[in-house]
Amino acid sequence: MESLHPFSLPLSELAEIPFTGSKPKPTPETMHFWEGCKNGKLLLQRCPDTGRAYFPPRPFSPFTGNRSVSVFEASGRATLHSYVIHHREVPGFTPPYAIAVVELEEGPRMMANIVECPQTPEALQLDMPLEVVFRPVDDSISLPLFRPLKEGA
Amino acid sequence: MAYKPGSVAVVGAAETSRIGVVPDMSQIMLHADAALNAMADAGLQPKDIDGLACVGQMMPQQIAHYLGITPRWVDGTGVGGCSFMLHVRHAAAAIAAGYATTVLITHGESGKSRVNATPRPPEPESLAGQFEAPFGPAGPATLFPIPVLRYMKATGTTHEHLAMVAVVQREWAAQNPRALFRERVTVEEVLASRMVAYPYRLLQCCPVTDGGGALILTAAERATDFPAPPVYLLGSGESVETTMVSQMEDFTSSRAFRVAGPTALKMAGVSHADVSHLMIYDAFAHLPLYGLEDLGFCGRGEAKDFIWEGNTRPGGKLPMNTNGGGLSYTHTGMYGMFALQESVRQVRGTAPAQVPDVKISVAHGVGGMFSSSGTVVFGKERP
């Protein structure tokens, strides 16, 4: 039997595979986001003037410059906005694999991988519903990834 | 102080003597080779240059010293492959302000052979290092095409439409002896080429090459004293958006394009119908579609048909990317200089695939995925 692509595996099995890709290094302005991921929470920030959520993290509103922003936990639901399926070897990744951008229910978009899903154009339909999962890669970093939203979830 | 349309002109323009694979020249020598050729084109020596622009941190110092230039105005704007469009714009303003009389803009890049090339280390603390790099992108071929599927869905653009961009540009390249790829291709052949990053196959991605180019600008009052006919700068525009392609406001349109392009055309006071020749930086096959629409040459979603129907090919009503483009001519990593060079050749009437009677040429550039943009409008006559 052909072995499954790592991104097709259940998250629990993917999490067993050591991550050898590029690890993020948090800064003071993004530390809360990565702390959140470690604790299984996708944290966004909200502009106090417009009420709009934004990403990536920064301690002021990109819409008005107001520094009195709040941090809140996102629903974790998203849709698949766009992607490529890369066919070459990259450290830490098994080709072919999708590099995707998802649109969060709250509005912001973020890059991610789509897991528990075949890495094919047929399986990866634009606007398909997704939900966030977290892949621990070391003691301090868990990467936010997305998987197809299960029926009835 | 703003420059007036036509008050500044290109009086020297040249590329490196060789282009494509040039392993016997380091990156700084590619700058110098192009600069020496441009100075020869203008009948000038380094002592005649008093303004210098080149891309990136510490580069103006390195190039000034290497070439023996003592500038009294410098610009190190480095916003990716369209930096040279911004240099032209900034140089014109500097000339109008009296900061310099004769500005040299240089580009050299050992993109293929990597001799003394600028390293691009990923910074894991940068926003892209934190919020893009962990998900496996590996250079422009994996990042630049990320918006394409969304664009296709929004506009009804097909894989065949995107293949046709490469087909048409190869028709132009076939007429250009310096082009890296000169063999004609079909839509079927493009779609049968090796998959790089779905939806893109090899022939929809630019090569990576060695080469360079240089421009010399001066005030229009002096411009007729040089050997080559002047190419007047009628207008220019610039903008930036984000270095993270995932954070573009709209995946089907570039905000930076929508600022830079119309700013340049408005300043030049030209309508789309006045433009007889167009260069749109094409590192990948979708860029001409975004450019045609964001600059207003086509309506929303119409660029695919505009190209498919032959409007941009040899003999078409809007010849575009007539050197073969980044896809077929050359792409050192920062192609904008080569788009400008082709616009200058077309206005001078010296291009290998010369379009008859080019009066107005637009060169539109992109940089760092969709992170930046610069647009330049050149004219044969001084308004």
Side-chain angles (χ1 to χ4, degrees):
Chain A
M1 193 181 107
E2 199 179 338
S3 64
L4 281 174
H5 190 282
F7 286 168
S8 293
L9 297 171
L11 182 71
S12 55
E13 290 180 43
L14 175 64
E16 300 286 305
I17 303 173
F19 179 78
T20 55
S22 178
K23 278 185 201 170
K25 192 171 174 192
T27 59
E29 300 82 18
T30 64
M31 187 63 83
H32 71 277
F33 177 86
W34 293 111
E35 288 281 336
C37 289
K38 193 172 73 175
N39 296 316
K41 295 179 198 290
L42 185 68
L43 299 182
L44 293 176
Q45 288 165 308
R46 194 184 299 286
C47 166
D49 300 313
T50 64
R52 288 172 67 187
Y54 65 86
F55 179 86
R58 74 210 82 164
F60 59 92
S61 163
F63 310 118
T64 66
N66 194 325
R67 293 173 189 260
S68 301
V69 299
S70 54
V71 175
F72 70 100
E73 184 179 356
S75 71
R77 283 191 290 276
T79 54
L80 181 56
H81 192 64
S82 204
Y83 64 91
V84 296
I85 302 175
H86 191 36
H87 281 250
R88 289 192 206 175
E89 203 77 48
V90 171
F93 292 84
T94 305
Y97 64 98
I99 305 161
V101 173
V102 305
E103 184 166 292
L104 301 174
E105 192 171 62
E106 293 81 4
R109 299 192 191 115
M110 55 189 293
M111 191 172 279
N113 300 119
I114 309 301
V115 298
E116 299 190 6
C117 182
Q119 304 291 293
T120 64
E122 295 72 30
L124 295 162
Q125 294 289 331
L126 294 200
D127 302 313
M128 66 192 278
L130 305 165
E131 65 180 351
V132 73
V133 294
F134 297 92
R135 176 187 182 181
V137 299
D138 64 21
D139 289 343
S140 61
I141 296 292
S142 291
L143 294 179
L145 307 176
F146 287 79
R147 68 181 174 196
L149 188 66
K150 291 185 177 60
E151 290 291 322
Chain B
M1 163 175 184
Y3 66 95
K4 292 188 177 65
S7 64
V8 170
V10 174
V11 295
E15 297 179 359
T16 43
S17 307
R18 285 171 293 130
I19 198 168
V21 184
V22 191
D24 54 321
M25 279 195 200
S26 64
Q27 190 150 296
I28 196 170
M29 188 56 212
L30 291 166
H31 276 267
D33 183 60
L36 294 170
N37 288 344
M39 284 188 270
D41 183 55
L44 296 175
Q45 294 178 10
K47 66 175 172 53
D48 303 314
I49 304 293
D50 64 354
L52 178 64
C54 31
V55 175
Q57 200 177 17
M58 304 294 174
M59 281 309 288
Q61 302 95 307
Q62 293 183 49
I63 301 302
H65 176 252
Y66 200 59
L67 281 167
I69 290 169
T70 306
R72 57 194 184 90
W73 174 87
V74 294
D75 181 7
T77 301
V79 292
C82 63
S83 298
F84 318 103
M85 281 79 174
L86 278 69
H87 293 161
V88 166
R89 176 170 163 85
H90 302 173
I95 290 166
Y99 293 167
T101 62
T102 313
V103 173
L104 171 69
I105 303 169
T106 70
H107 167 57
E109 192 165 8
S110 185
K112 170 79 174 171
S113 303
R114 312 295 300 169
V115 185
N116 185 37
T118 313
R120 292 180 184 170
E123 296 290 345
E125 283 183 298
S126 68
L127 289 176
Q130 293 184 65
F131 300 111
E132 290 193 336
F135 308 107
T142 56
L143 288 167
F144 226 146
I146 280 184
V148 172
L149 288 179
R150 175 56 54 182
Y151 177 85
M152 291 172 73
K153 183 165 181 173
T155 61
T157 300
T158 64
H159 295 289
E160 286 74 16
H161 285 127
L162 288 164
M164 183 57 95
V165 175
V167 170
V168 171
Q169 294 193 197
R170 198 59 74 81
E171 291 178 7
W172 287 110
Q175 302 178 42
N176 187 348
R178 273 166 66 91
L180 185 68
F181 301 124
R182 301 186 60 205
E183 275 188 33
R184 288 168 188 272
V185 291
T186 64
V187 166
E188 292 72 27
E189 285 166 341
V190 172
L191 294 180
S193 63
R194 179 168 60 78
M195 188 67 85
V196 174
Y198 176 86
Y200 275 170
R201 295 171 180 274
L202 188 64
L203 296 186
Q204 293 165 308
C205 307
C206 65
V208 182
T209 62
D210 306 325
L215 294 168
I216 298 170
L217 279 74
T218 194
E221 287 71 27
R222 300 174 61 212
T224 49
D225 300 338
F226 293 85
V231 173
Y232 295 99
L233 177 62
L234 305 185
S236 59
E238 64 186 279
S239 192
V240 299
E241 186 179 352
T242 168
T243 56
M244 300 172 74
V245 71
S246 63
Q247 299 305 315
M248 282 179 77
E249 279 181 4
D250 180 349
F251 274 31
T252 69
S253 167
S254 162
R255 190 186 80 190
F257 283 19
R258 297 196 311 272
V259 174
T263 300
L265 291 168
K266 186 179 175 195
M267 177 178 184
V270 300
S271 70
H272 294 96
D274 296 329
V275 176
S276 36
H277 171 255
L278 178 61
M279 298 297 292
I280 295 180
Y281 190 133
D282 59 321
F284 295 91
H286 54 303
L287 293 173
L289 300 171
Y290 283 64
L292 284 166
E293 293 177 8
D294 287 340
L295 269 60
F297 288 97
C298 292
R300 192 89 169 125
E302 292 172 2
K304 62 182 190 303
D305 299 317
F306 190 77
I307 292 174
W308 188 267
E309 290 161 4
N311 290 297
T312 62
R313 70 169 24 140
K317 72 177 182 190
L318 183 59
M320 181 177 75
N321 295 344
T322 50
N323 57 355
L327 291 178
S328 289
Y329 178 60
T330 207
H331 194 296
T332 54
M334 290 188 286
Y335 167 78
M337 174 57 81
F338 301 96
L340 290 165
Q341 294 285 336
E342 176 67 6
S343 279
V344 168
R345 285 191 296 264
Q346 288 286 353
V347 174
R348 284 179 171 183
T350 59
Q354 181 64 44
V355 172
D357 197 27
V358 173
K359 290 198 168 62
I360 307 276
S361 174
V362 173
H364 176 72
V366 69
M369 273 38 85
F370 278 110
S371 74
S372 58
S373 185
T375 312
V376 170
V377 183
F378 287 125
K380 195 180 186 72
E381 311 290 341
R382 190 178 176 193

